[in-house]
Amino acid sequence: MHLVYPAVLAALLFSVGAYGVLARRNAVLVLMSVELMLNAVNLNLVAFDAWLRDALHAGQALTLFTITVAAAEIGLGLAIVLLVFRARGTADVDRLTALGDRAAEVPAPAAEPVSDPVPNDPAPKGQAVS
């Protein structure tokens, strides 16, 4: 097997994924582009493992690890995107500028004037009343 064919395919996949991460505004499409990039890495790992004829199959073991990380990433990423969509009504990455939701902030109540605790004190300060 020639190493050039899977390496070129992996480079194309990674390029399409990088373009998707940089150009897309929808968070779900950004997550899909990250998955494309991870699949390009997996393709390279398996291709180099087959080309080197490694007895331990380290490339395939790393591919399984990468697939596991990708599954966890997509699960958490989609959960976060759904929560953001429910809270703000959009999954547009450009509109998500702050981590906190400004609509949920409660304004502080107006400060009331502080009154004297004892309003009619007949004695001046420092003197005792007889």
Side-chain angles (χ1 to χ4, degrees):
M1 175 177 88
H2 293 289
L3 185 61
V4 176
Y5 300 129
V8 168
L9 180 61
L12 289 174
L13 275 175
F14 195 86
S15 300
V16 169
Y19 173 75
V21 167
L22 296 174
R24 297 291 176 185
R25 294 177 186 218
N26 191 347
V28 175
L29 293 177
V30 171
L31 288 174
M32 288 174 59
S33 299
V34 169
E35 290 295 321
L36 270 178
M37 293 167 63
L38 288 172
N39 285 331
V41 170
N42 288 339
L43 182 61
N44 268 335
L45 285 171
V46 171
F48 276 99
D49 182 50
W51 183 64
L52 293 173
R53 292 184 173 87
D54 186 16
L56 296 175
H57 299 292
Q60 293 178 17
L62 285 173
T63 299
L64 288 175
F65 178 72
T66 308
I67 290 171
T68 306
V69 169
E73 174 259 335
I74 200 69
L76 289 174
L78 281 177
I80 291 170
V81 168
L82 284 175
L83 286 174
V84 167
F85 182 76
R86 284 182 184 170
R88 300 195 181 179
T90 184
D92 191 2
V93 177
D94 291 337
R95 290 186 176 179
L96 303 177
T97 57
L99 291 177
D101 190 11
R102 295 180 188 218
E105 289 180 9
V106 178
E112 296 179 14
V114 178
S115 61
D116 191 20
V118 184
N120 296 325
D121 190 11
K125 294 204 184 254
Q127 295 179 359
V129 178
S130 50

